[in-house]
Amino acid sequence: MKQIRILGNKILKGEIKISGAKNSAVALIPAAILSDEVVIENVPNISDVNALDDILNYLGAEIYKENDKLTINAKKISNKPITEEYSNMLRASYYFMGALLARFKKAEMYFPGGCKIGARPIDIHLMGFEKLGAEIKNDGDKYIIEAKKLIGAEIELPFPSVGATVNILMAASKAEGTTTIKNAAREPEIGNLVDLLINMGAKIEGKDTNTLTITGVSKLTGGVTKVIPDRIEAGTYILAGVMNGDKLKVSNMEPKHLDSLLNILKQMDADIIIEENSVIASKSDNLKAIDVTTAVYPGFPTDLQQPLTSLLIMAHGNSHIKETIYENRFQNVKYLNEMGANIEINGDTITIKGPSKLIGKVVTTSDLRAGAALILAALHAEGETTIKEVKYVLRGYGNIVKKLTNVGAQICLEDV
Ligand code: UD1
């Protein structure tokens, strides 16, 4: 088991450079099989990327890695069923449904893995594939999705699901005729994929809007793209700066992708300076309490809900966070309370009564962002915190120990 130990209450000073976005990389890599060769730059060093590389290898792709550049040659891949083990490795394994369907008109795999933060059904993805002409056979967790022909269709999503938008985009790129996705998700990571697909020869209109129009093409050629900066990683380190920083510079990022968080921090009177591609954050006393509701982009991201909770422990008064995307995303609260926080859960809303002093404890991570929240709390707490099961954190935060050590944190990763 991997665990992180942190001796807290150290000032964080210097610069943290943000890596490529996990949620972009995990869509761009499966999309590479839609053509013969794709080059992806700024790929983050995270275990979710390694898992996708393993799946590509299994399918017969050739992968060349050079620092953060990934060249994927999928010319000779075969359409093998994605095993239960591979499907379970991560949530984004489901992007092979759309990608294999586009390439071979058939995809065979199991229900995807990923953090246990709610039921996370895939009904919207499947509805999209069916509208494009696919037939779906489902036996337990196994899915066989097959189409004699993919034919463009009008598809209105009942909810702007990120995953369903990506999957339908990939399948529709190689369908006959035109597909319209209405109520599509608008997360910046989807724009990143749209750019790659256009680069590969796809015809897509409506980037960054909630209506995407895709005119299918029979062949996609090679493409090159750069993964956009990870707004969730950036947000997490900005929060670390507001909790412990002395002009901690979070650079290589896109502040406009984080408007919702930055506006909240301003309302709380946090000491932040926003520059073109960076944010400088310093430890802020007298933070005001605030009420936040998670929402789809450009609203406040659910992925920053747990990290924000750790900051709100420092704020004066009662803050509330309402979680509208997932049913089970407060698993960090128990451990934050053990460290000294005063947080109550009431259905989909938590009340954080601050400020409270945090003391180091032994805690356990249940999912990726809960882990990030516990790391933020540990960096701020008096004494030493041990965070168990940090494998979840390594799914999404590349080189986290090195990045934090470089700015003055006392943190180590151990295999126990
Ligand atoms: C993606 C992100 C994840 C983020 C989430 C919401 C990736 C790899 N992961 O996850 O980090 O937390 O967006 O911003 O990009 N839903 C259904 N049926 C479906 C699909 C989704 O009911 O077929 C529901 C989900 O259970 C959830 C909500 O819709 O309640 C949002 O899900 P979705 O946007 O699809 O999230 P993911 O793509 O899984």
Side-chain angles (χ1 to χ4, degrees):
M1 188 217 18
K2 286 191 187 331
Q3 65 178 31
I4 278 179
R5 276 195 301 132
I6 293 175
L7 187 60
N9 207 12
K10 306 283 174 215
I11 295 295
L12 305 181
K13 199 175 162 78
E15 183 174 350
I16 297 182
K17 287 198 172 120
I18 295 308
S19 305
K22 162 184 164 291
N23 288 351
S24 272
V26 298
L28 298 168
I29 294 170
I33 69 167
L34 299 191
S35 84
D36 288 346
E37 186 160 289
V38 165
V39 179
I40 309 173
E41 293 167 359
N42 200 31
V43 176
N45 177 20
I46 53 174
S47 63
D48 269 10
V49 163
N50 300 336
L52 291 171
D53 288 352
D54 288 348
I55 299 176
L56 282 175
N57 268 321
Y58 161 80
L59 293 173
E62 285 167 16
I63 303 169
Y64 308 95
K65 267 189 188 176
E66 195 191 333
N67 302 320
D68 63 4
K69 186 165 108 179
L70 208 59
T71 303
I72 301 166
N73 187 309
K75 204 169 184 165
K76 294 187 198 134
I77 65 164
S78 52
N79 192 11
K80 290 200 258 178
I82 310 273
T83 62
E84 190 157 17
E85 196 194 345
Y86 280 131
S87 305
N88 275 331
M89 278 162 84
L90 75 167
R91 177 80 181 159
S93 63
Y94 62 13
Y95 289 146
F96 281 102
M97 288 183 172
L100 288 171
L101 190 61
R103 169 119 180 205
F104 295 108
K105 308 279 177 286
K106 183 176 177 185
E108 200 171 330
M109 67 172 286
Y110 288 78
F111 194 82
C115 290
K116 307 273 178 284
I117 49 180
R120 308 185 88 179
I122 56 168
D123 54 313
I124 306 175
H125 305 235
L126 301 177
M127 176 275 284
F129 296 144
E130 277 177 336
K131 289 250 172 180
L132 293 172
E135 230 179 71
I136 295 161
K137 289 191 193 124
N138 172 216
D139 180 12
D141 274 351
K142 188 175 178 184
Y143 292 84
I144 301 176
I145 305 158
E146 198 168 7
K148 286 197 181 71
K149 249 185 193 183
L150 289 171
I151 299 171
E154 187 159 302
I155 303 172
E156 175 145 11
L157 307 188
F159 180 89
S161 152
V162 173
T165 304
V166 166
N167 253 332
I168 297 167
L169 252 175
M170 289 197 279
S173 297
K174 300 223 32 210
E176 285 177 22
T178 300
T179 298
T180 312
I181 311 177
K182 291 190 174 161
N183 199 26
R186 284 191 287 158
E187 270 67 2
E189 294 75 24
I190 291 172
N192 207 175
L193 174 69
V194 167
D195 281 341
L196 172 65
L197 291 172
I198 290 175
N199 214 312
M200 289 158 79
K203 297 201 173 86
I204 304 171
E205 279 168 28
K207 182 188 158 195
D208 296 334
T209 75
N210 57 13
T211 304
L212 293 166
T213 307
I214 308 117
T215 306
V217 294
S218 57
K219 190 166 166 55
L220 292 171
T221 56
V224 180
T225 195
K226 187 171 177 181
V227 183
I228 60 169
D230 195 313
R231 62 198 163 97
I232 308 300
E233 187 198 20
T236 304
Y237 290 129
I238 291 168
L239 290 166
V242 177
M243 293 174 78
N244 305 285
D246 175 8
K247 298 191 176 61
L248 179 71
K249 182 169 180 163
V250 179
S251 63
N252 270 18
M253 59 167 289
E254 276 288 357
K256 68 173 186 293
H257 291 165
L258 267 181
D259 270 352
S260 57
L261 173 70
L262 298 174
N263 285 336
I264 283 166
L265 293 176
K266 281 188 223 153
Q267 286 172 49
M268 291 176 70
D269 282 345
D271 183 352
I272 53 168
I273 301 166
I274 302 168
E275 298 182 331
E276 201 181 334
N277 293 111
S278 51
V279 172
I280 298 165
S282 299
K283 184 168 180 176
S284 309
D285 299 320
N286 300 317
L287 288 168
K288 288 186 195 152
I290 195 147
D291 290 349
V292 178
T293 300
T294 62
V296 297
Y297 190 83
F300 184 78
T302 170
D303 288 352
L304 282 174
Q305 177 264 106
Q306 292 158 305
L308 178 68
T309 302
S310 298
L311 172 70
L312 295 181
I313 296 167
M314 291 171 59
H316 292 253
N318 288 358
S319 296
H320 302 93
I321 303 186
K322 183 173 174 168
E323 170 59 65
T324 67
I325 310 291
Y326 296 114
E327 319 82 85
N328 192 17
R329 215 171 199 187
F330 293 135
Q331 294 173 78
N332 49 322
V333 166
K334 170 176 179 266
Y335 296 106
L336 293 174
N337 281 343
E338 284 175 12
M339 292 174 76
N342 185 354
I343 307 172
E344 278 170 17
I345 305 178
N346 195 351
D348 62 1
T349 301
I350 52 173
T351 304
I352 303 122
K353 298 178 182 171
S356 306
K357 193 172 159 51
L358 295 175
I359 313 276
K361 282 270 154 44
V362 177
V363 294
T364 300
T365 297
S366 53
D367 57 80
L368 167 59
R369 308 301 171 186
L374 293 174
I375 288 175
L376 290 179
L379 290 168
H380 184 73
E382 280 296 339
E384 187 176 283
T385 302
T386 301
I387 305 165
K388 299 184 164 197
E389 298 291 359
V390 287
K391 62 177 187 225
Y392 297 107
V393 176
L394 305 178
R395 278 185 168 173
Y397 290 88
N399 306 328
I400 184 166
V401 171
K402 193 166 163 220
K403 285 184 182 187
L404 285 170
T405 304
N406 284 347
V407 294
Q410 280 207 17
I411 173 171
C412 64
L413 177 67
E414 299 170 333
D415 242 321
V416 290

